[in-house]
Amino acid sequence: MTEGAASRPGWSQGLPGTYRAAVVVPARFDTHVDEAACARKLNGFDAGGRRCFVRHDHTACVDTFDIDEFPLTVAVRHERRTAWRLQSGQWLMSVDRIERLDSCAPRVVNETWLAATEAQLGL
């Protein structure tokens, strides 16, 4: 599915304020959903068609049984990777992870760093 930038005003959510003027603003977006893998990817492209934004969500699930031995699927981990291309050509990437979703004490991990190239993003 392809959309214009005006329909995705939240693309800059999570972007540190000091980088707002340094990122390339997407002109259009493309969404891919893989329900079997519990994954969703949103790509943003500049006016020249080059990727300048990526948001990838993935939830890891395990198949198990409840107390009555009925099968069920339980989410155990969620990860969101968001990356913005800077005008310098480098990428700023943020990784937000929630682990142990199946417990009473989930663990939240947030990381942000600059990646030198698009290939190093792993997205």
Side-chain angles (χ1 to χ4, degrees), residues 12-68:
S12 63
Q13 179 183 358
L15 178 64
T18 55
Y19 288 99
R20 289 195 188 270
V23 298
V24 176
V25 178
R28 67 177 182 86
F29 292 91
D30 187 47
T31 304
H32 176 72
V33 177
D34 186 340
E35 295 196 21
C38 298
R40 179 178 186 187
K41 188 179 222 178
L42 175 65
N43 286 305
F45 300 91
D46 63 16
R50 188 170 165 215
R51 187 163 75 159
C52 61
F53 171 78
V54 182
R55 178 168 290 145
H56 182 258
D57 288 282
H58 178 261
T59 303
C61 299
V62 295
D63 292 326
T64 187
F65 296 92
D66 68 8
I67 196 165
D68 295 320

Side-chain angles (χ1 to χ4, degrees), residues 74-88:
V74 177
V76 293
R77 178 180 176 188
H78 178 80
E79 182 174 283
R80 169 176 277 182
R81 291 178 176 252
T82 307
W84 301 266
R85 182 166 47 94
L86 303 175
Q87 293 175 9
S88 68

